[in-house]
Amino acid sequence: MLPAHHKLTSPAEFHRTIKKGSKAGSRTVVVHVLDRTATCPDAPVATTGPRFGLVVSKAVGNAVVRHRTSRRLRHVCMSLMDSPDVLPRGADVVVRALPRSGSATSEELRADIVKALRKAARRKRND
């Protein structure tokens, strides 16, 4: 379970991250990353670390598959909280699961999320 201060909780936070953040995809997930320190420099939330939001739709599978996929994604997100080389502390991240994520292992999901996060960071630098 992700601690409450590491979760995106409101639809407005999801919307802001998706609309204003960098987007990158892999075969199992699409990630949207927004650096809070750049968009809200006066907000003291950067010290809490990255915040995550998950979107797992019915396209991934039935309820059992969706819940299993959500648990795996949460576990991967927890492991990324202490990886400043992959994800800045002041980042908001929305992870959208694609249909192939329902049959992916945790290791595959982690590799795909890290790959997509690095791709999004490169795109942000090139903008």
Side-chain angles (χ1 to χ4, degrees):
M1 191 68 130
L2 281 170
H5 60 277
H6 286 289
K7 291 181 187 178
L8 295 177
T9 54
S10 72
E13 292 172 336
F14 275 81
H15 183 72
R16 183 183 65 239
T17 303
I18 290 170
K19 292 297 179 189
K20 294 183 180 181
S22 298
K23 175 177 129 175
S26 65
R27 55 187 196 89
T28 59
V29 295
V30 175
V31 298
H32 301 267
V33 183
L34 179 65
D35 186 4
R36 285 182 311 227
T37 57
T39 58
C40 304
D42 57 338
V45 292
T47 59
T48 63
R51 297 187 307 169
F52 297 93
L54 303 177
V55 179
V56 183
S57 73
K58 287 185 179 182
V60 173
N62 64 22
V64 173
V65 174
R66 290 194 311 272
H67 287 290
R68 181 181 61 224
T69 303
S70 295
R71 283 192 306 272
R72 288 178 177 168
L73 290 172
R74 277 195 302 273
H75 178 74
V76 169
C77 292
M78 284 181 62
S79 71
L80 292 175
M81 282 191 279
D82 298 324
S83 301
D85 57 321
V86 177
L87 195 59
R89 290 188 57 80
D92 283 346
V93 181
V94 172
V95 179
R96 184 167 48 92
L98 297 176
R100 292 181 80 176
S101 65
S103 60
T105 65
S106 294
E107 293 81 21
E108 292 170 334
L109 289 172
R110 179 178 169 73
D112 284 350
I113 289 173
V114 169
K115 177 182 173 184
L117 287 170
R118 290 192 171 134
K119 191 187 303 186
R122 280 194 307 271
R123 286 185 179 166
K124 186 66 176 173
R125 280 193 301 262
N126 292 338
D127 286 347

